Amino acid sequence: MATRIDDCGYWQVVWLDPRAVRPVCVDGPACTVVGWEALRAAYPDTPPVEQPGWWSPRWEAAAAVALAHLLALSGGKRVAVPDGPVAEAFRKALDTLLPAGPSARNLVLAGPGLSGVTAEIALVPRHPQSGEVWPCGAGAVVPLAADVWMYMAFNDDRRLTLAAAGMPDIVRRDDPPPRLPWRPFRPDVGVFLHTLARLPAAREPWLRAIYDHVEDRRYSLPCF
């Protein structure tokens, strides 16, 4: 009745055979859509690093999709990225693919639970049930998978140091120690190219040149 695609580096998807299934009406909504403010409690975030130090494929794919949208919105000009996990996911790729020079646009995290900000480009969550993108007043928005966005927005990823004996109980402990990656983060190049090729902006010469550059050097670029 269906075919399921479940392979490393690809989104999982199920294709239903229209000859074997049919839609059925139900009373009321098929499922309750969780509100934005309850999203953190209903859906856990996804840590970026898995055991034994591999970057999460979910992060690599989600960052690749967001990177394609971010490049399209950049207009070919430098984008300033905030420090922390956002910089770890996007700064190296943006610095590699966009021309050198002063930053022309700023990227910020925006979404439920964060204070309102005004920026040229906002990195916002995409609802895991409805697919809706968080609405905000930024000049442009880049959607990101909600579980990855929540980790970027709310996880305290500071590296802790050893302290002398007798620490107060209120001090945050580091037990067990955090998972650390064995290599720098790289977005999934296949997902990036697949997404970028399907954006309307990819027809513009400057963005097409970036696509061709990555396609020709996908195994030698430091950001992939």
Side-chain angles (χ1 to χ4, degrees):
M1 60 177 288
T3 300
R4 178 182 178 183
I5 298 174
D6 183 358
D7 195 2
C8 297
Y10 293 90
W11 296 108
Q12 294 189 16
V13 63
V14 174
W15 298 96
L16 298 175
D17 187 338
R19 298 169 298 179
V21 298
R22 61 184 177 85
V24 177
C25 295
V26 297
D27 295 331
C31 61
T32 302
V33 177
V34 177
W36 284 110
E37 300 304 327
L39 200 61
R40 289 180 64 189
Y43 286 86
D45 58 27
T46 297
V49 183
E50 300 178 349
Q51 294 290 10
W54 297 98
W55 286 102
S56 164
R58 174 73 175 171
W59 269 67
E60 293 174 334
V65 173
L67 176 62
H69 286 273
L70 182 54
L71 281 172
L73 293 172
S74 72
K77 299 179 180 179
R78 209 72 163 179
V79 177
V81 179
D83 293 332
V86 178
E88 194 162 31
F90 299 109
R91 182 176 288 165
K92 189 171 185 178
L94 291 173
D95 289 349
T96 301
L97 301 177
L98 293 175
S103 299
R105 311 192 75 179
N106 295 315
L107 175 70
V108 298
L109 272 173
L114 298 182
S115 57
V117 293
T118 302
E120 292 91 351
I121 306 177
L123 188 64
V124 301
R126 184 187 296 277
H127 200 285
Q129 292 176 289
S130 66
E132 178 188 1
V133 175
W134 168 263
C136 70
V141 296
V142 174
L144 182 66
D147 56 330
V148 175
W149 180 91
M150 286 189 290
Y151 189 96
M152 287 187 175
F154 302 113
N155 189 269
D156 185 357
D157 207 22
R158 293 173 296 176
R159 298 290 182 252
L160 306 184
T161 59
L162 295 176
M167 289 190 302
D169 292 337
I170 61 173
V171 174
R172 178 169 169 249
R173 311 277 174 152
D174 191 15
D175 183 24
R179 298 174 182 175
L180 300 178
W182 63 271
R183 64 166 175 83
F185 179 79
R186 296 187 181 99
D188 187 290
V189 64
V191 174
F192 169 77
L193 291 171
H194 179 86
T195 304
L196 188 61
R198 284 154 179 77
L199 296 179
R203 301 184 183 94
E204 299 181 23
W206 68 270
L207 193 53
R208 178 67 193 196
I210 291 178
Y211 177 93
D212 292 339
H213 179 72
V214 175
E215 175 66 35
D216 294 340
R217 300 169 177 82
R218 63 163 66 196
Y219 300 114
S220 60
L221 288 172
C223 56
F224 289 109

